[in-house]
Amino acid sequence: TYLFNENETIRDNFYIGAWEASIDGDTFGDLVIGAGNITVSGNVSGDATIAGSDVSILEKINGDLRIIGGDILITNDVLGDIVVIGGNVKILSGVTVGKDLVVLAERVIIQGDVKGKVRVIGGEVSLDSKVDGNVDIKAGDSITISDHAVVLGDVVYSGEDESILTISDKAVIKGKTTFNKGKVISASTFKTAMLALLSSFVFIKLITILTVVALATIFLKKFSNRVAKDAIEQLGKKTLWGFITLIVTPVAIAMFFASVFGIALGVLGALGYGMLVILSVIYAGVIFGAWMDKLLIRKKEKIEVDWKNGVAGVVALTLIMQIPFIGGLGGLFFFLLALGSISTLTYNYLWTRRK
């Protein structure tokens, strides 16, 4: 258990890995935590990125807040964006979210005000607060817009049919309310996926990959940006190259081993191929995170990788891969995409230096 006492402060970025973590002191920088039960009751001047089973945010976050966890509680203001993937997510009354709110969870209760847009995918969703922007909710079980809800923008909701939405007579929606038919996973299915994600093996594996991703996107930023940019801009081509690399390379390595003189090259080839596969497993989530950041969250024109969207992408893709069949296909696609992008970059680098 890691305890950061109330009378302590840190004037730098703060990185914590522990079984349990309680942060009572103030952090003048970014806060990154990977632990089981996590409580943050000290101010954070920068961004907070947190992965844990039970997470409670009790004090003000002055930057963005990103969380992956089971039960998630937010009781104080967040001046930037909130991006949350969890089991049960609750944002209490009195909280103000300074920018956009994005949630993927089994059950979602939003009682705090949001200055930007709200995007939610979940099983059961309840909105009982003021939202200055548009609201987009996709739910498998139910959507409730309660008495204190005031939406200044439009409301777009998706589900099996229009009856999934219940709007209180006291709720106020200034814009249009639009229904889009579409099946979304139920709360029970989402819960099964979350339990699988938070099982000990997956959790330890995830934390390890998150650490590697954070280091890679910080210290290999140029390489990471190039991998993500080539992959996203050439989806079909890079996925095809990834498939070819996955099938053809082991055959070529086996042919080297068939000859006494080729064994050394076969060993080198096998080591290189193994490293390529490991990098592709890691960068599949990085590419997914950059894609989410570009199209869904910030909607930026430029593709840019940093440790935040890299970590978020790994977490989100790991969660999606727990969904039977469809999740596996999604994981395979981004793995092949990463494999194709990294292999062609490696080939081009070696070819230009062949002389």
Side-chain angles (χ1 to χ4, degrees), residues 106-266:
E106 176 190 352
R107 291 183 178 86
V108 183
I109 297 174
I110 303 169
Q111 297 173 334
D113 295 341
V114 181
K115 296 295 184 182
K117 302 174 184 177
V118 171
R119 299 185 184 94
V120 180
I121 299 176
E124 300 172 4
V125 181
S126 173
L127 177 66
D128 193 22
S129 63
K130 181 183 177 183
V131 179
D132 290 354
N134 296 330
V135 173
D136 186 346
I137 301 176
K138 298 175 175 64
D141 295 327
S142 66
I143 303 170
T144 304
I145 299 181
S146 301
D147 294 352
H148 300 100
V150 177
V151 180
L152 302 185
D154 299 332
V155 173
V156 178
Y157 68 102
S158 304
E160 284 281 4
D161 53 58
E162 295 185 42
S163 64
I164 197 168
L165 175 66
T166 301
I167 303 178
S168 168
D169 293 337
K170 297 180 181 179
V172 176
I173 300 175
K174 297 287 188 180
K176 297 184 295 184
T177 300
T178 306
F179 170 70
N180 292 327
K181 184 175 177 60
K183 187 175 182 180
V184 182
I185 60 173
S186 65
S188 58
T189 303
F190 192 92
K191 183 176 182 179
T192 301
M194 283 302 301
L195 288 173
L197 173 67
L198 295 175
S199 64
S200 57
F201 174 76
V202 174
F203 186 74
I204 292 170
K205 178 182 176 183
L206 177 60
I207 292 298
T208 303
I209 294 177
L210 289 178
T211 303
V212 175
V213 165
L215 292 174
T217 51
I218 291 171
F219 295 107
L220 301 174
K221 191 172 182 64
K222 186 176 179 181
F223 173 77
S224 300
N225 275 307
R226 184 67 185 274
V227 169
K229 183 175 184 294
D230 288 358
I232 294 171
E233 291 181 350
Q234 305 175 56
L235 279 174
K237 182 179 178 181
K238 296 304 181 184
T239 305
L240 177 61
W241 271 113
F243 180 76
I244 292 171
T245 303
L246 185 67
I247 301 300
V248 173
T249 306
V251 175
I253 293 171
M255 292 175 65
F256 280 123
F257 278 110
S259 167
V260 174
F261 298 102
I263 290 177
L265 289 175

Side-chain angles (χ1 to χ4, degrees), residues 67-81:
I67 303 176
I68 167 70
D71 291 332
I72 298 169
L73 175 66
I74 301 172
T75 69
N76 214 313
D77 296 346
V78 176
L79 300 189
D81 297 323

Side-chain angles (χ1 to χ4, degrees), residues 330-353:
L332 177 61
F333 171 77
F334 279 97
F335 167 74
L336 292 176
L337 186 58
L339 184 61
S341 183
I342 296 171
S343 61
T344 52
L345 275 177
T346 304
Y347 173 78
N348 291 335
Y349 176 84
L350 295 175
W351 180 256
T352 56
R353 286 159 175 76

